Amino acid sequence: MSATSLLSSKPIAPKDRLIFALDLPTSKEALEWVDKLGDAVTFHKVGFQLFMAEGYWELVEALKARGKKVFVDLKFFDVPETVKNAVANLSKRGVECCTVHGSQAILEGAVSAKGSMKVLAVTVLTSLDRGDLDDLGFQCNVEELVYSRAKRALALGCDGVISSGMEAARLREGLGEKLLIVTPGIRPVENKPVDDQKRTMTLEEAFRAGADHVVVGRPIRQASDPRAKALEMQEEIAALFALGTQRV
Ligand code: C5P
């Protein structure tokens, strides 16, 4: 990692920089987790697993009623008109952001219908590495692919991207402050990488590389005391951003 710190200077409350991935089997369990974590987490991500269970939108409403920010991570990918209409419907639900895969026309469709909701383009899933990209028929390196997709997304009017911390610094340096960088694949040093995530970083590394938000699931969910783990991460984030824009 570069020795230079690229800490985000966007006016985001430090607590909102941590997004918890509510990857749980049912909405009931998800809400129990929301209440168990309480004020340790202010921003929650609701994805596919819950979407396929009962009560997804009731959960979104329950989160909003508790004053939480909501990230709808359904990774839309379809013909441009369908994505546009899906984003138009979602934008009426008062959530912060959503994710979209895709070509120029798909991203344009999403941007045209997003209203005040943020559209984040998926670059390259953090669970994919060089071998997986070969398998999918991509010859270029991961960093190039992430950069070109992020550059295009920004030019088309997307608010930001989902990117691993490993590519965040290049994005921040090359594409500027405006781009919102949301980084999953956060792993503590001691268990790097032991699951499906391959392009991982620690929380501090990801923020120093320019991430605006991190998405954390298993490191909190699988902790022996999840609320204590989330609070520990919040303390780390608060300390990091208390340094302001100080360059290390
Ligand atoms: O459990 P873990 O910390 O790996 O959770 C990461 C979350 O971020 C998951 O919900 C996953 O869907 C999501 N995500 C990701 N890579 C992306 C986009 C989203 O890991 N490119």
Side-chain angles (χ1 to χ4, degrees):
M1 195 193 81
S2 134
T4 309
S5 176
L6 295 167
L7 270 188
S8 160
S9 60
K10 289 192 187 69
I12 298 170
K15 268 199 156 177
D16 289 345
R17 291 186 181 275
L18 175 67
I19 302 176
F20 178 59
L22 274 171
D23 293 330
L24 290 147
T26 66
S27 296
K28 182 172 174 289
E29 283 167 87
L31 201 52
E32 284 166 8
W33 272 84
V34 171
D35 290 334
K36 177 158 78 173
L37 293 169
D39 61 0
V41 176
T42 54
F43 207 156
H44 291 269
K45 182 175 88 73
V46 283
F48 271 144
Q49 188 180 2
L50 284 174
F51 193 66
M52 296 303 160
E54 302 277 309
Y56 185 84
W57 298 113
E58 287 80 359
L59 173 64
V60 168
E61 289 307 318
L63 283 164
K64 284 165 46 191
R66 285 163 172 75
K68 307 294 184 189
K69 293 192 163 62
V70 183
F71 171 6
V72 168
D73 184 21
L74 295 177
K75 300 185 177 70
F76 299 128
F77 185 55
D78 207 318
V79 298
E81 186 65 14
T82 301
V83 170
K84 176 180 146 190
N85 292 333
V87 168
N89 269 350
L90 180 59
S91 73
K92 296 174 198 146
R93 290 190 179 266
V95 302
E96 288 291 311
C97 50
C98 70
T99 37
V100 181
H101 279 282
S103 63
Q104 171 155 346
I106 297 173
L107 294 177
E108 278 172 352
V111 167
S112 73
K114 76 187 190 69
S116 59
M117 179 178 69
K118 295 186 174 73
V119 165
L120 306 174
V122 177
T123 54
V124 176
L125 293 175
T126 44
S127 57
L128 302 181
D129 64 8
R130 178 64 268 153
D132 297 309
L133 289 180
D134 283 342
D135 203 37
L136 291 168
F138 287 97
Q139 308 301 308
C140 53
N141 71 40
V142 179
E143 196 179 89
E144 282 311 318
L145 190 57
V146 170
Y147 189 82
S148 67
R149 287 183 169 179
K151 189 174 174 191
R152 183 184 61 186
L154 189 63
L156 294 174
C158 291
D159 299 273
V161 293
I162 309 295
S163 157
S164 103
M166 293 172 83
E167 290 88 35
R170 167 112 195 272
L171 299 185
R172 182 62 74 223
E173 283 168 338
L175 301 176
E177 259 304 306
K178 186 170 171 247
L179 183 78
L180 192 72
I181 301 177
V182 178
T183 299
I186 300 301
R187 292 292 176 268
V189 186
E190 63 275 12
N191 60 352
K192 246 187 158 182
V194 291
D195 47 42
D196 59 352
Q197 296 285 24
K198 292 174 184 164
R199 302 192 336 278
T200 65
M201 271 194 169
T202 66
L203 187 85
E204 178 170 350
E205 283 169 341
F207 281 120
R208 287 204 182 280
D212 292 297
H213 297 272
V214 293
V215 175
V216 181
R218 282 164 286 185
I220 291 178
R221 252 183 9 258
Q222 295 173 353
S224 53
D225 184 342
R227 181 174 151 82
K229 185 73 191 172
L231 286 171
E232 182 191 312
M233 288 184 164
Q234 290 291 15
E235 270 175 35
E236 200 180 335
I237 295 170
L240 207 51
F241 284 91
L243 298 174
T245 52
Q246 182 180 317
R247 299 291 187 245
V248 180

